[in-house]
Amino acid sequence: MTDSWAAFGVDLHIEPVGTGLRNGLMNALREAVRTGRLAPGTRLPSSRTLAADLGVARNTVADAYAELVAEGWLTARQGSGTRVARRAAAPGPVARGARARPVRRPVHSLLPGSPDLSSFPRAEWLKAARRALAAAPDTAFGYDDPQGRIELRTALADYLARARGVYANPERLVICSGFVHGLALIGTVLRRRGVRAAAVESYGLDIHRNLLAEAGLRTPCVPVDALGAATGTLRGMPGVGAVLLTPAHQFPTGVPLHPDRRAEAVDWARSSGGLVLEDDYDGEFRYDRQPVGALQGLDPERVVHLGTASKSLAPGLRLGWMVLPEALVEEVCAAKGGFDRMTGAPDQLTLAEFIASGAYDRHVRAVRLRYRRRRDQLVAALAARAPGFRVSGIAAGLHAVLELPDGTEGPVVQAAAWQGLALERLSRFRHPDAGPGRDGLVIGYGTPSESGWAGALDALCRVLPEDGA
Amino acid sequence: MTDSWAAFGVDLHIEPVGTGLRNGLMNALREAVRTGRLAPGTRLPSSRTLAADLGVARNTVADAYAELVAEGWLTARQGSGTRVARRAAAPGPVARGARARPVRRPVHSLLPGSPDLSSFPRAEWLKAARRALAAAPDTAFGYDDPQGRIELRTALADYLARARGVYANPERLVICSGFVHGLALIGTVLRRRGVRAAAVESYGLDIHRNLLAEAGLRTPCVPVDALGAATGTLRGMPGVGAVLLTPAHQFPTGVPLHPDRRAEAVDWARSSGGLVLEDDYDGEFRYDRQPVGALQGLDPERVVHLGTASKSLAPGLRLGWMVLPEALVEEVCAAKGGFDRMTGAPDQLTLAEFIASGAYDRHVRAVRLRYRRRRDQLVAALAARAPGFRVSGIAAGLHAVLELPDGTEGPVVQAAAWQGLALERLSRFRHPDAGPGRDGLVIGYGTPSESGWAGALDALCRVLPEDGA
């Protein structure tokens, strides 16, 4: 970044492009910004200076600047002159509507799906990295088994058996770069096996449905009620070869799957030859009693257990795992393509050491306490501010569901956005075939940093409608 | 791993499965090995002890053991008793024919495609990791832009412009987990754009052809001669919307693409609306003069530049990059699926710091000297041992091509395998449509560790046929 005109003067002395001096100058400036020759934030010379330099009328330059400000290429502010806009150098993001960030970033976020990123244990992670890199064989840095590093599979098999009741051994484990990657692989395998449909819960993430659909599968829904997914309905669903469930803590409603429903799911899989896909996205975070053991333990040959480090450590690690029926390991590795589109060896080795050394258990215990305290504060604040609104799904996880009076969901989220608070509506997670449901919010109380949590909670209380009691 | 019988005794006291004591015992043992309850290397009790324990005739146990040894589940050796075979516990690898390792690991490998893994700069990498993790914002650990970490894209844009003459800026860069991942994404984008065929060089890697084929593209070939790929033939190839080239150092023949051919490739792309995919797999390693600048610099809107850290650092990092025409950035990110199936943030941040701090340049310079010395030793040894055999492709990269007398390629590779030396034949890289070619070896002199290099070179000289001069 430079404030001097000389640094890009040469580039502007090109032939004006198009007709007229003003247009030519505008085109040259646009091009310089677009290609990055003029970096975001760069201060342009005053219109007087540039006009003199180019030998044109000052108004010509001033008009070109004003037009480019209007187009968003430049910004003009009293006292700081005319500068290249911060976003203008990014041809990608600007053009990509769906990925462009809102102009105003929210001050607070209670969106679900993320842990507190400020809690990532950087120092402990580095210690584990040092030990892991010292101990790794040279071959760890080569082209590797698409199943994933053996060190990580071994550490995870032990941890999952101990902490989640998973029937695991390293040979059943395949490392992937997160849940979405794992689900995409399973979807591919199912389709190759001739499966036509994979059932999903009537509340869940659209990106998961879309992934299965991309693999060529229909995604009919199993209703979710107060006992979790009504897995008894699977028997009546034609062509369904798999069902995606969140047994430990239904996402987003927060119900644990009832023991009868767990049994029904496994019975259905056994009798139909189907597969249960167990999304254990936040199984470590249960506050009021022992975690519910993994469904996979009931039948390791019929249940695929999927987990990640995204909630327990950080999504940015891109580390997830699948514990597979033996018969599927080969096919899943084949779907990966034989070559390893996956997380790098240093991060895999570091997580292995992080788990094996006990740092993972310590970290999970520490953040569990912190999230539990937030959960308690959320429940208390809502009880005080809006005693008539039901809060549910709070026994576990990093989010809670707050029911709202009918018709208020949209306005509350909109009002919150105006106040700089990002909230997610419950209806966002409803399956298209699920029919109408209650209004509500899915409150991700794990998302803020420790320092931002109190402010986020205050902001939430301020935007809630009058009590519906 | 345990040597005691008690550790798995309980598991064997299950009901014999199938008919007969011997079969029942065999099934139980197979199951215990398959599920990992009996770890590889575990010593089994003597047939006498087990027979007494089970109350069966000793011969029944001895027969079952012998059969399982024959099937490969167990090994029996004088003095060390009967043990679980090292490979038997791996139901995956055993079943996966293509991925199963040879029973006897070669002592030396001169297979191409890998750098010396022992040269991975662990200490420097850790230093960079420490600085990178200290400086990273919390958001680095969250769900991130599928384009890749901005720190890495910024460092790479600078490096690639400086060292490889690439017209790069962070907004054109997309991080991927290696070349194969990048090529798969481009293949998907091409297919979505309606492209029917992507040309490849008549010598190259079959996995690259297969990837393009998986994306739904035909892969006709452009002949490779002494000037590199004959890109002038592209004009006569119907339906071809892209061509995959290795301009800096043709893989595996080692020719740099002639300037006229470079121009022809870009001219073809401009006039046909096609794309050139530039695989810059070892562009940093040129020994006898300055590296050939990237083809991409000739027309950044018509050439996709693909590179990785796999040769310069280690394949295990799973870090690659694409420098894209602006118009493609959005589509490539969409092909990634919006969610980031990619390398973890710590490894991305560490590579960014590794490059920005100058450690990458220092490392490349250091290993370049080492590989150059090996190249010189290889050429000298071959000149002494087999002066009549032509060695080519030696100006750059980590491999050389040694021409062999007709009909000797297969026998040499076979003889080498018997001697514990892994070699790759030239014909392995020939396109199915390319017609017959010369016999030869592609010698990956970068592959051995420093300590293993001299032995590998000796082993190579020993297995060469009598001089064809």
Side-chain angles (χ1 to χ4, degrees):
Chain A
M1 313 240 177
T2 170
D3 271 2
S4 98
W5 163 241
F8 59 92
V10 175
D11 286 326
L12 289 181
H13 283 295
I14 53 175
E15 282 300 299
V17 186
T19 53
L21 277 173
R22 185 170 140 279
N23 278 343
L25 179 58
M26 282 174 64
N27 286 341
L29 280 165
R30 278 198 208 95
E31 172 72 7
V33 171
R34 207 161 41 78
T35 57
R37 286 204 299 266
L38 281 177
T42 304
R43 184 175 183 155
L44 299 187
S46 71
S47 55
R48 187 190 304 273
T49 310
L50 183 54
D53 204 27
L54 297 176
V56 300
R58 187 183 163 192
N59 270 357
T60 306
V61 176
D63 285 353
Y65 276 15
E67 190 99 358
L68 290 172
V69 167
E71 290 178 14
W73 295 90
L74 307 179
T75 60
R77 207 163 300 156
Q78 201 63 36
S80 82
T82 305
R83 291 174 182 273
V84 176
R86 287 282 162 192
R87 298 171 59 225
V94 168
R96 269 169 263 150
R99 298 179 50 236
R101 292 184 192 98
V103 174
R104 187 182 164 205
R105 266 186 88 94
V107 182
H108 298 293
S109 171
L110 290 172
L111 297 177
S114 175
D116 171 1
L117 300 175
S118 72
S119 73
F120 182 75
R122 303 184 190 206
E124 286 295 322
W125 184 262
L126 273 170
K127 276 187 208 164
R130 189 172 314 120
R131 289 190 303 263
L133 285 192
D138 287 339
T139 49
F141 302 102
Y143 289 100
D144 205 27
D145 194 328
Q147 218 174 329
R149 284 301 305 166
I150 183 65
E151 295 90 340
L152 180 53
R153 289 186 283 124
T154 304
L156 276 170
D158 174 65
Y159 172 78
L160 293 171
R162 181 165 51 76
R164 303 290 303 123
V166 173
Y167 182 87
N169 62 47
E171 292 305 327
R172 285 172 177 269
L173 265 151
V174 174
I175 306 300
C176 49
S177 62
F179 178 81
V180 151
H181 184 204
L183 186 61
L185 293 171
I186 302 280
T188 304
V189 166
L190 289 171
R191 197 65 197 87
R192 286 183 185 170
R193 286 187 159 203
V195 170
R196 298 299 185 86
V200 297
E201 296 172 314
S202 63
Y203 280 84
L205 278 169
D206 52 358
I207 61 164
H208 297 172
R209 280 200 303 276
N210 294 345
L211 263 180
L212 294 167
E214 262 180 52
L217 300 160
R218 284 189 300 111
T219 56
C221 76
V222 175
V224 170
D225 60 25
L227 305 181
T231 47
T233 62
L234 285 165
R235 289 189 188 275
M237 297 170 74
V240 168
V243 60
L244 175 61
L245 298 174
T246 47
H249 187 230
Q250 205 282 328
F251 187 85
T253 69
V255 202
L257 192 62
H258 189 277
D260 294 348
R261 300 276 176 90
R262 290 163 67 98
E264 277 175 331
V266 171
D267 286 348
W268 164 81
R270 283 179 180 156
S271 63
S272 69
L275 271 186
V276 177
L277 313 179
E278 175 177 36
D279 177 4
D280 198 41
Y281 67 101
D282 65 2
E284 276 107 346
F285 296 117
R286 174 159 283 274
Y287 307 119
D288 302 322
R289 51 182 173 91
Q290 279 294 304
V292 183
L295 182 64
Q296 187 261 11
L298 293 184
D299 194 337
E301 303 307 328
R302 288 281 134 219
V303 181
V304 176
H305 178 86
L306 296 115
T308 72
S310 296
K311 303 294 181 290
S312 54
L313 274 166
L317 293 182
R318 308 315 308 135
L319 276 167
W321 45 86
M322 295 174 267
V323 188
L324 295 161
E326 287 191 12
L328 273 184
V329 172
E330 187 185 349
E331 287 166 73
V332 168
C333 287
K336 263 191 156 176
F339 32 76
D340 35 352
R341 291 183 213 163
M342 64 174 2
T343 306
D347 282 347
Q348 287 193 62
L349 294 167
T350 302
L351 181 58
E353 171 61 25
F354 196 81
I355 294 171
S357 69
Y360 190 82
D361 286 85
R362 285 195 300 277
H363 176 73
V364 165
R365 272 198 303 275
V367 291
R368 191 194 285 135
L369 283 175
R370 216 178 292 165
Y371 292 135
R372 182 191 176 134
R373 195 172 57 232
R374 291 191 192 183
R375 194 265 324 241
D376 293 343
Q377 291 167 346
L378 173 69
V379 170
L382 292 175
R385 170 67 181 77
F389 296 172
R390 192 165 157 260
V391 188
S392 58
I394 55 174
L398 306 179
H399 69 270
V401 172
L402 176 68
E403 286 182 10
L404 290 178
D406 277 355
T408 62
E409 190 186 85
V412 166
V413 169
Q414 185 57 66
W418 286 329
Q419 304 286 326
L421 170 66
L423 288 178
E424 192 62 272
R425 57 192 86 197
L426 178 58
S427 60
R428 159 105 168 58
F429 301 103
R430 202 173 292 138
H431 192 285
D433 304 343
R438 281 171 172 260
D439 274 28
L441 297 174
V442 181
I443 301 171
Y445 55 82
T447 306
S449 66
E450 277 292 278
S451 60
W453 161 242
L457 185 55
D458 279 353
L460 172 68
C461 287
R462 278 199 304 275
V463 301
L464 290 181
E466 289 305 305
D467 199 323
Chain B
M1 313 237 177
T2 169
D3 271 4
S4 97
W5 163 241
F8 60 92
V10 176
D11 285 327
L12 289 182
H13 284 296
I14 53 174
E15 283 299 299
V17 186
T19 53
L21 278 171
R22 185 172 139 280
N23 278 342
L25 178 58
M26 282 175 63
N27 287 340
L29 280 165
R30 279 198 207 94
E31 171 73 5
V33 171
R34 210 162 38 79
T35 58
R37 287 203 299 267
L38 281 178
T42 304
R43 183 176 182 154
L44 299 187
S46 72
S47 55
R48 187 189 305 272
T49 310
L50 183 54
D53 205 24
L54 296 176
V56 300
R58 186 185 162 191
N59 270 356
T60 306
V61 177
D63 285 353
Y65 276 15
E67 191 100 359
L68 291 172
V69 167
E71 290 178 14
W73 295 89
L74 306 178
T75 60
R77 207 164 299 156
Q78 200 64 36
S80 81
T82 306
R83 292 177 181 269
V84 177
R86 288 281 161 193
R87 297 171 59 226
V94 168
R96 269 170 263 150
R99 298 178 51 236
R101 292 184 192 100
V103 174
R104 186 182 167 208
R105 267 187 87 93
V107 183
H108 298 293
S109 171
L110 290 172
L111 297 176
S114 175
D116 172 1
L117 300 175
S118 72
S119 73
F120 182 76
R122 303 184 189 206
E124 286 295 322
W125 184 261
L126 273 171
K127 276 187 208 163
R130 189 173 313 119
R131 288 190 303 264
L133 285 192
D138 287 340
T139 48
F141 301 101
Y143 289 100
D144 205 27
D145 193 329
Q147 218 175 330
R149 284 301 306 167
I150 182 66
E151 294 90 340
L152 181 54
R153 289 187 283 125
T154 304
L156 276 170
D158 174 63
Y159 173 78
L160 292 171
R162 178 165 52 78
R164 301 292 301 122
V166 173
Y167 183 86
N169 62 48
E171 292 304 327
R172 283 172 178 271
L173 265 151
V174 174
I175 306 300
C176 49
S177 62
F179 178 82
V180 151
H181 183 205
L183 187 61
L185 292 172
I186 302 280
T188 304
V189 166
L190 289 171
R191 197 65 197 85
R192 287 183 184 170
R193 286 187 159 204
V195 170
R196 298 300 185 85
V200 297
E201 296 171 314
S202 63
Y203 280 84
L205 279 169
D206 52 358
I207 61 164
H208 297 172
R209 282 199 302 276
N210 295 345
L211 263 179
L212 294 167
E214 263 181 50
L217 300 160
R218 283 188 300 111
T219 55
C221 76
V222 175
V224 170
D225 59 26
L227 305 181
T231 47
T233 62
L234 285 165
R235 289 188 189 275
M237 296 170 73
V240 168
V243 59
L244 175 61
L245 298 175
T246 47
H249 188 229
Q250 205 283 327
F251 187 85
T253 68
V255 202
L257 191 62
H258 189 277
D260 294 347
R261 300 277 177 89
R262 289 164 68 98
E264 277 176 331
V266 171
D267 287 348
W268 166 80
R270 283 178 179 156
S271 64
S272 70
L275 269 186
V276 177
L277 313 179
E278 175 177 36
D279 176 4
D280 198 43
Y281 67 103
D282 66 0
E284 276 108 345
F285 297 117
R286 174 159 282 275
Y287 307 119
D288 303 320
R289 51 181 171 92
Q290 278 295 305
V292 184
L295 183 64
Q296 187 261 9
L298 293 185
D299 194 338
E301 302 306 327
R302 288 281 132 218
V303 182
V304 177
H305 179 86
L306 297 114
T308 72
S310 295
K311 302 293 181 290
S312 54
L313 275 167
L317 293 181
R318 309 315 307 133
L319 276 167
W321 46 85
M322 296 174 266
V323 188
L324 294 161
E326 286 190 13
L328 271 184
V329 173
E330 188 184 350
E331 287 167 73
V332 168
C333 287
K336 263 193 157 175
F339 32 78
D340 35 353
R341 291 184 213 163
M342 64 173 2
T343 306
D347 282 347
Q348 286 193 61
L349 294 167
T350 301
L351 180 58
E353 171 61 26
F354 196 82
I355 294 171
S357 69
Y360 190 83
D361 286 86
R362 285 194 299 279
H363 176 72
V364 166
R365 271 199 302 275
V367 291
R368 190 194 285 137
L369 283 175
R370 216 177 294 164
Y371 292 133
R372 182 190 177 134
R373 195 173 57 232
R374 291 191 192 183
R375 193 266 323 242
D376 294 344
Q377 290 167 346
L378 173 69
V379 170
L382 292 175
R385 169 68 181 77
F389 295 172
R390 191 165 158 260
V391 188
S392 58
I394 55 175
L398 306 179
H399 70 271
V401 172
L402 176 68
E403 287 182 10
L404 291 178
D406 277 354
T408 61
E409 189 187 86
V412 167
V413 170
Q414 185 58 65
W418 286 329
Q419 304 286 327
L421 170 66
L423 288 178
E424 192 62 272
R425 57 192 85 198
L426 178 59
S427 60
R428 159 105 168 61
F429 301 103
R430 203 172 292 138
H431 193 285
D433 304 343
R438 280 171 172 260
D439 274 27
L441 296 174
V442 182
I443 301 171
Y445 54 82
T447 306
S449 66
E450 277 293 277
S451 60
W453 161 243
L457 184 56
D458 278 353
L460 171 67
C461 287
R462 278 198 304 275
V463 300
L464 291 180
E466 288 306 305
D467 200 320

